[in-house]
Amino acid sequence: MSPIIEIILIGCLVATTAAIPGCFLILRKMAMMSDAISHSVLLGIVLMFFAIKTLHSPLLIIAATITGLVTVVFTEALISSKKMKKDAAIGFIFPLFFALAIILITQYASNIHLDQDTVILGEIAFAPFNRMVWGSIDYGPIAMWVMGIIGLINALFIGCFYKELKIATFDPALASSLGLAPSRLHYGLMACVCMTCVGAFDSVGTILIVALIVTPPATAYLLTRKLSTMILLSIIIGCLCSVLGTILALAIDGSIAGAMCTVAGTLFLLSFLFSPNHGIIHKFYTQKQQKIQFSAILLTIQFLNHQGEDSFEFSIENLIDHMRWSEPFAQKIISYALAKNYIKRNKKAYELTPYGIEVAKNAMASS
Amino acid sequence: MKKDPTEIAVSIKDLTVAFDKKPVLWDIDLDIPKGALTAIVGPNGAGKSTLLKAALTIIKPTAGRVDIFGQPIKRQLSQIAYIPQRNSVDWDFPTNVLDVVLMGTYGDLGWIKRPGKKEKNRALNVLEKVGMETFYDRQISQLSGGQQQRIFLARALVQNAAIYIMDEPFVGVDAVTEKAIVTLLKELRDQQKTVIVVHHDLQTIDEYFDWVFLLNVRQIAFGKVKNTLNEENLRLTYGGRHSFITAHP
Amino acid sequence: MTLVIDYPVIISLIGAILIGLTSGIISCYSVLKEQSLLGDAIAHAALPGLCIAFLLTLNKSPMVLLMGAMSAGLIGTLFITAIIQKSILKEDTALGVILSVFFGFGTLLLTMIQKIPTARQSGLEEYLFGNAASILKSDITIMSILAILIVGSTLLFWKEFKCLIFDPDFFQTQGFSPRKANFILIILTVISIIIGLQSVGVILMSAMIIAPATAARLWQKKLGAMMILSIIFATTSGIAGVLLSSAVYRLPTGPTIVTVISLIVIISLIFSPQGLLRQWIRKKINQRAIRLDSILSNLYTLAKTHDDLTHPHDINTFNVLGEIPPLYLLQKLESDGFIYNHKNNEWGLTNVGISKAIQVLQRVH
């Protein structure tokens, strides 16, 4: 395989691995927890590195995962102790862990591979050079194997507990009444996030993994409301980031991880603007339509409630004065209601048609 | 319509509030006379708090206007003292009782100007009125529910407004405080102030209030308590779910 | 470790004090508004702004970089607000997306800048972890102006900000515009974060927005006092960070500052008046009191079967009623005069003990 293909493949693996727990994180309103975890795991990596003096051992992943979980436990303990609010508790622990890790690296490990820039930016471009060689056979880059295994674990965890996670996410009270142990599921999910951050640390770096955990699921959530579709879609979007990101990085000779994030951001922006159901352009248009429809019905109710009163209640001046509508808006609603045959002209004012009366009564009955 | 508009303290015309396309309030028309002590009553989700917030311009209505003494609300905010639900704020906020009461003078002061000796004296006076004068230096997190409500009341009183609008002032307060608040409300009414209270306890309406506005998204009825609070109107307001209050006269 | 206070160190120290002052103030507002993670997002979002400003002008003057960082920080904040208001995504997701995407885009630009031959020494990487030594006299001038702006606005809008955060609805009914006040506060937040980037760095700046006020809040119960303490904490850690990092070879400033301020938070968490230590001691005292009370009430229950209420009982019979009390608790009660030791394991209530036990039982029922 050519290195480029390998880079893209590793990128796809990272993106897929990240997207799976990412979907649950954003649904559980815990996206920022991934930011905290991704920073904290560095401390575990550094400490274990000092213990075993190598960067290529599964022990590193275990140590880092434990540090990530410690962060989660500390953060939650701080929240439940009521000494800090949620945001401050999330934001307090990880800078400390990260700062300690950076200090340790600069003081004691400055000559090895573990330098500051790699930590933050990762260097996926070098991933194909670290190869898994057994005897004389080359099994491909190590990063591919690491991410593959972690991805498999994530997929297995979510696959096995899909139903339980779904209930625990949307209705935690129901989940615990069903005996589903939401807190154990929660820590399982957190362990997945931790492992993902550790595994991806080499290739995309500490912070950019957050982009891959949060952004593709967020993009997918703007496009669909079905959980299984959302997971599938975020995997596809993640892989798209990997492919397009690598191409972009090669074209402008920049950081691949940075380019992947840029693509992820662009895709997010596109769906934020143009999503057929939840994009803001669609929303803006339908809301305007809805507002006109709603206001026309409001008009019929208003007329119905004031039937038999002063003819002023039925004039356009009333709409401007009492309803506080602007004149053009009032005109627009009147013409809409006329077109819909809700009202008809009666000298200087308007009156309800029989159909309009029916519309008003229906609207009132259904509210 | 022919009445002197200044005799109507709060006039709400054709007020509709909708979030997206879900109406929360449908076409409310309400004229509350000056000096009335009014309860706003309705089931959960009836839009009681929304009505208050829309009337105070905190929420922008889809349609409708609110006049205070015949003038558009925008220019009349200083005539109104608002007492939000007690649990709408964080009582762990680092401040003391006097500071919270002083917030009632901010409207008069406007931007930038700070409360001075005059404002502090006013604040201490109203604290005495609600029986909290010895607590002026107390950290607000150390107050009981009843005391918190008294502080909110003091913050409104210090504004010396013509209209008092309160959201569920009796929730989570002790019986003594409840009685004290009611006495104060009646005092305000006797001084020709207009008092509007979102209330949820049907049992106490005719003891505490003179007027009642029954609301369930749409307006059901408004009038003197003895004429308005009847079986028929309650059924319209609460549907079939009001059997717990049938003991009411 | 050698510490030489020379001219560059003094410049860095002035910088650290300015950062302590501004982030100490803004920290209070961010923490009380429960929006402290916004600071994290703004700091990260500033990176592409720095890079674009540099790419456009190929100029590393502090003014240019500050303007770039500030615009990017503001744009990031606007995006976050738009996502929260206009889509179904929640605040945490909006923060995560903007933080990571802006930062990722920034790193892409950073790698491109590193490839421009003339820009190799741009020093933009310093902004990742911060380096107080890179602060120059011209930076100090601009930082001072911005710090005065923040302090001045805080004094001017003191009551507005307080009321806005405590009760925004009430603030509005007082005739103020919460939107305007909020906007001013956001601008000040962005400025204070940008001031700190050079020393503390993009990645760890959030700690300066969260930690000082978090610690101060545990000691102080009034906003003014809390803010002063928050400023003291932030400044102390800034100064300590600068001195340590100039004394120890290769010690980065940002992480050092963050470690110091975090230690202050941890100490406050444990030892402050509302701290965990005091809470723990109070709990222990309560538990002990409950155990002592239950010994008395148990002895009373056992004695009730006899005519003589002071009749002694073997404490091992307590196992039917609950725990068998340890000797030190019995001795404590004995020295208080509530019980007496008959022989070996047998203890009985004294007359004082009887009335105390009746009190306890009345309190329970």
Side-chain angles (χ1 to χ4, degrees):
Chain A
M1 265 190 288
S2 85
I4 305 272
I5 303 289
E6 281 181 353
I7 287 170
I8 290 178
L9 264 178
I10 294 170
C12 288
L13 274 173
V14 174
T16 308
T17 311
I20 298 171
C23 286
F24 287 95
L25 270 193
I26 74 158
L27 291 174
R28 296 165 78 99
K29 304 187 188 83
M30 291 173 51
M32 286 305 275
M33 210 63 198
S34 67
D35 186 39
I37 290 173
S38 76
H39 284 81
S40 305
V41 292
L42 183 62
L43 186 60
I45 295 176
V46 173
L47 290 175
M48 190 47 93
F49 170 76
F50 286 132
I52 60 172
K53 304 284 177 210
T54 169
L55 275 173
H56 305 289
S57 160
L59 281 177
L60 285 172
I61 296 184
I62 293 167
T65 305
I66 291 169
T67 334
L69 284 174
V70 167
T71 311
V72 177
V73 172
F74 274 11
T75 304
E76 283 167 4
L78 279 177
I79 298 170
S80 62
S81 80
K82 303 236 163 76
K83 303 284 171 235
M84 289 186 195
K85 292 283 157 63
K86 190 179 169 200
D87 61 315
I90 293 176
F92 165 62
I93 307 266
F94 81 83
L96 173 61
F97 280 22
F98 193 69
L100 288 174
I102 294 292
I103 290 174
L104 288 172
I105 292 174
T106 53
Q107 290 299 294
Y108 306 108
S110 46
N111 296 321
I112 52 137
H113 168 65
L114 205 63
D115 66 81
Q116 296 184 13
D117 283 355
T118 330
V119 165
I120 300 164
L121 308 176
E123 218 15 289
I124 199 170
F126 297 139
F129 298 115
N130 273 322
R131 305 202 71 88
M132 179 96 131
V133 183
W134 204 293
S136 58
I137 310 164
D138 181 353
Y139 291 95
I142 293 175
M144 207 148 88
W145 285 94
V146 173
M147 276 332 288
I149 292 168
I150 294 172
L152 207 63
I153 296 174
N154 281 358
L156 275 175
F157 176 77
I158 306 286
C160 289
F161 300 106
Y162 182 75
K163 187 177 82 246
E164 288 81 357
L165 276 166
K166 197 169 162 180
I167 298 173
T169 301
F170 293 108
D171 194 346
L174 175 67
S176 48
S177 74
L178 290 173
L180 290 179
S183 78
R184 243 178 279 169
L185 284 172
H186 168 70
Y187 284 109
L189 185 65
M190 287 299 140
C192 287
V193 177
C194 294
M195 276 189 305
T196 310
C197 291
V198 191
F201 159 83
D202 242 4
S203 33
V204 288
T206 314
I207 297 165
L208 305 189
I209 183 64
V210 180
L212 290 178
I213 291 180
V214 179
T215 315
T219 313
Y221 194 43
L222 290 172
L223 297 169
T224 176
R225 204 37 48 83
K226 195 162 178 286
L227 183 56
S228 51
T229 322
M230 177 183 163
I231 296 176
L232 199 68
L233 209 55
S234 38
I235 292 174
I236 295 170
I237 293 167
C239 294
L240 210 57
C241 295
S242 163
V243 177
L244 296 178
T246 312
I247 295 171
L248 174 67
L250 290 174
I252 60 173
D253 194 14
S255 145
I256 296 173
M260 282 170 72
C261 289
T262 310
V263 173
T266 315
L267 293 177
F268 175 81
L269 186 65
L270 288 178
S271 77
F272 179 62
L273 293 175
F274 302 111
S275 161
N277 299 317
H278 306 286
I280 55 169
I281 289 175
H282 170 80
K283 248 192 179 161
F284 180 76
Y285 179 74
T286 48
Q287 268 173 3
K288 217 170 145 186
Q289 278 307 107
Q290 273 169 7
K291 196 172 174 189
I292 292 173
Q293 276 168 21
F294 181 78
S295 302
I297 292 170
L298 185 60
L299 184 79
T300 61
I301 292 177
Q302 149 82 4
F303 279 11
L304 188 69
N305 283 349
H306 292 280
Q307 242 171 6
E309 283 177 32
D310 206 330
S311 74
F312 176 74
E313 288 287 345
F314 305 100
S315 65
I316 196 157
E317 288 75 23
N318 166 55
L319 300 182
I320 296 164
D321 186 50
H322 282 179
M323 317 268 277
R324 293 265 108 179
W325 285 349
S326 68
E327 193 172 344
F329 188 73
Q331 293 283 10
K332 200 189 266 175
I333 301 304
I334 290 280
S335 33
Y336 181 86
L338 281 171
K340 282 267 176 184
N341 195 26
Y342 292 165
I343 54 172
K344 61 177 187 239
R345 240 194 133 77
N346 178 9
K347 287 173 219 151
K348 279 174 94 177
Y350 299 91
E351 65 177 27
L352 284 173
T353 62
Y355 175 59
I357 293 174
E358 200 182 309
V359 167
K361 281 183 174 162
N362 280 342
M364 284 168 76
S366 67
S367 67
Chain B
M1 274 285 149
K2 305 288 172 279
K3 269 185 277 177
D4 178 5
T6 55
E7 282 304 300
I8 303 293
V10 180
S11 162
I12 295 173
K13 287 254 176 308
D14 301 332
L15 184 78
T16 294
V17 178
F19 298 135
D20 284 330
K21 51 180 172 176
K22 196 179 153 35
V24 188
L25 287 174
W26 259 132
D27 197 25
I28 307 294
D29 283 285
L30 179 61
D31 283 338
I32 295 181
K34 190 179 167 199
L37 177 51
T38 309
I40 297 179
V41 180
N44 286 337
K48 292 167 294 183
S49 295
T50 310
L51 177 64
L52 298 192
K53 287 187 178 174
L56 286 160
T57 69
I58 296 170
I59 295 175
K60 198 179 176 311
T62 315
R65 71 178 290 164
V66 177
D67 289 323
I68 304 299
F69 297 119
Q71 300 278 323
I73 173 90
K74 280 274 182 227
R75 269 170 281 147
Q76 295 285 82
L77 274 172
S78 62
Q79 302 262 28
I80 306 178
Y82 172 52
I83 303 173
Q85 284 184 18
R86 192 165 52 84
N87 60 12
S88 68
V89 303
D90 176 9
W91 288 94
D92 280 331
F93 191 87
T95 190
N96 64 16
V97 167
L98 184 65
D99 248 10
V100 173
V101 178
L102 278 172
M103 286 179 188
T105 65
Y106 287 6
D108 286 349
L109 291 166
W111 286 87
I112 295 171
K113 228 166 102 191
R114 303 261 195 112
K117 223 182 166 68
K118 200 179 90 199
E119 282 77 19
K120 285 202 177 117
N121 285 334
R122 266 167 66 196
L124 289 169
N125 277 338
V126 294
L127 273 174
E128 211 176 319
K129 223 181 263 179
V130 298
M132 292 287 289
E133 68 276 19
T134 52
F135 288 82
Y136 74 96
D137 201 19
R138 189 69 72 88
Q139 165 67 28
I140 57 169
S141 62
Q142 294 164 1
L143 303 175
S144 70
Q147 289 168 333
Q148 290 173 351
Q149 196 61 59
R150 285 165 190 243
I151 297 307
F152 262 11
L153 197 58
R155 184 176 71 169
L157 289 174
V158 83
Q159 292 183 57
N160 205 9
I163 299 168
Y164 291 80
I165 295 185
M166 307 188 192
D167 203 343
E168 304 258 20
F170 304 120
V171 167
V173 307
D174 51 287
V176 181
T177 303
E178 179 158 340
K179 289 282 171 289
I181 294 175
V182 171
T183 313
L184 254 167
L185 298 186
K186 292 194 168 161
E187 253 171 53
L188 287 171
R189 173 202 56 196
D190 296 342
Q191 295 162 21
Q192 280 299 298
K193 311 274 190 190
T194 311
V195 183
I196 302 165
V197 179
V198 165
H199 191 55
H200 69 283
D201 183 7
L202 292 169
Q203 315 277 1
T204 50
I205 290 178
D206 68 343
E207 185 188 335
Y208 293 174
F209 298 97
D210 307 331
W211 296 72
V212 64
F213 179 58
L214 292 163
L215 173 74
N216 188 359
V217 183
R218 276 171 283 137
Q219 65 190 83
I220 311 295
F222 173 64
K224 285 277 171 71
V225 172
K226 56 179 184 300
N227 308 328
T228 315
L229 200 68
N230 55 37
E231 194 68 17
E232 168 67 7
N233 280 336
L234 285 172
R235 193 182 55 74
L236 284 169
T237 314
Y238 286 87
R241 289 171 286 123
H242 79 294
S243 50
F244 62 96
I245 46 90
T246 43
H248 197 277
Chain C
M1 180 162 159
T2 46
L3 180 58
V4 184
I5 307 269
D6 53 6
Y7 182 72
V9 173
I10 289 173
I11 291 287
S12 319
L13 279 176
I14 297 174
I17 292 168
L18 291 173
I19 293 164
L21 180 65
T22 53
S23 57
I25 292 172
I26 295 303
S27 172
C28 291
Y29 291 132
S30 295
V31 167
L32 289 174
K33 278 181 90 181
E34 295 177 36
Q35 280 189 347
S36 50
L37 290 173
L38 184 63
D40 197 18
I42 293 174
H44 283 81
L47 184 65
L50 288 168
C51 297
I52 291 174
F54 179 80
L55 278 172
L56 289 179
T57 59
L58 286 179
N59 181 343
K60 206 210 149 218
S61 86
M63 202 59 208
V64 172
L65 294 185
L66 273 177
M67 292 310 286
M70 217 179 292
S71 340
L74 269 180
I75 292 170
T77 315
L78 286 178
F79 266 120
I80 290 168
T81 324
I83 293 171
I84 297 171
Q85 285 177 356
K86 303 284 176 200
S87 83
I88 30 155
L89 297 170
K90 299 292 181 296
E91 187 191 2
D92 64 306
T93 311
L95 289 170
V97 167
I98 294 304
L99 175 154
S100 59
V101 166
F102 269 57
F103 187 80
F105 181 52
T107 57
L108 180 66
L109 294 172
L110 209 54
T111 49
M112 288 168 64
I113 289 173
Q114 282 167 335
K115 304 230 161 77
I116 304 173
T118 52
R120 202 117 183 88
Q121 297 304 316
S122 69
L124 280 182
E125 302 88 80
E126 302 277 21
Y127 279 89
L128 288 179
F129 289 109
N131 181 358
S134 69
I135 295 183
L136 306 172
K137 210 177 145 199
S138 53
D139 297 308
I140 292 291
T141 318
I142 292 176
M143 285 169 77
S144 311
I145 294 169
L146 294 176
I148 290 168
L149 185 71
I150 289 178
V151 176
S153 315
T154 306
L155 292 174
L156 279 181
F157 301 121
W158 180 257
K159 80 173 195 299
E160 284 80 6
F161 289 162
K162 182 164 65 180
C163 192
L164 169 76
I165 297 172
F166 177 64
D167 194 345
D169 284 353
F170 184 79
F171 186 62
Q172 174 152 8
T173 64
Q174 290 290 299
F176 297 94
S177 156
R179 279 174 68 108
K180 264 184 220 159
N182 238 328
F183 185 69
I184 299 172
L185 201 48
I186 291 277
I187 299 267
L188 297 179
T189 309
V190 173
I191 293 175
S192 92
I193 288 168
I194 303 306
I195 292 180
L197 289 185
Q198 215 173 343
S199 294
V200 186
V202 165
I203 296 171
L204 291 170
M205 190 56 206
S206 65
M208 292 303 281
I209 294 299
I210 295 170
T214 304
R217 198 179 179 182
L218 292 162
W219 298 93
Q220 290 296 341
K221 295 279 107 193
K222 278 205 78 179
L223 184 58
M226 171 182 161
M227 194 172 278
I228 288 169
L229 195 60
S230 168
I231 293 170
I232 293 172
F233 286 160
T235 314
T236 311
S237 56
I239 292 172
V242 168
L243 292 180
L244 281 171
S245 66
S246 62
V248 180
Y249 176 64
R250 290 182 68 112
L251 190 65
T253 324
T256 313
I257 293 177
V258 170
T259 308
V260 177
I261 191 75
S262 302
L263 284 179
I264 294 177
V265 174
I266 291 170
I267 292 169
S268 308
L269 263 177
I270 298 172
F271 297 106
S272 72
Q274 280 96 50
L276 297 168
L277 185 65
R278 193 128 157 222
Q279 195 177 317
W280 183 79
I281 292 172
R282 216 177 291 147
K283 199 171 129 195
K284 283 288 153 197
I285 291 173
N286 275 341
Q287 277 173 354
R288 192 183 151 103
I290 289 169
R291 285 173 82 187
L292 289 174
D293 284 354
S294 83
I295 296 174
L296 290 177
S297 64
N298 285 347
L299 269 176
Y300 184 81
T301 317
L302 290 171
K304 263 201 305 195
T305 54
H306 302 268
D307 293 335
D308 178 14
L309 286 172
T310 62
H311 188 93
H313 282 89
D314 189 327
I315 51 157
N316 287 320
T317 57
F318 271 46
N319 61 358
V320 283
L321 295 164
E323 70 157 3
I324 296 169
L327 193 60
Y328 72 92
L329 287 179
L330 292 167
Q331 281 164 348
K332 161 87 173 102
L333 284 170
E334 188 182 21
S335 70
D336 288 348
F338 292 131
I339 60 174
Y340 67 95
N341 191 350
H342 181 62
K343 60 177 188 207
N344 297 335
N345 280 335
E346 291 192 13
W347 298 77
L349 287 166
T350 62
N351 286 326
V352 193
I354 292 169
S355 52
K356 171 86 176 165
I358 293 171
Q359 269 178 29
V360 169
L361 285 164
Q362 275 169 348
R363 200 166 357 116
V364 174
H365 298 298

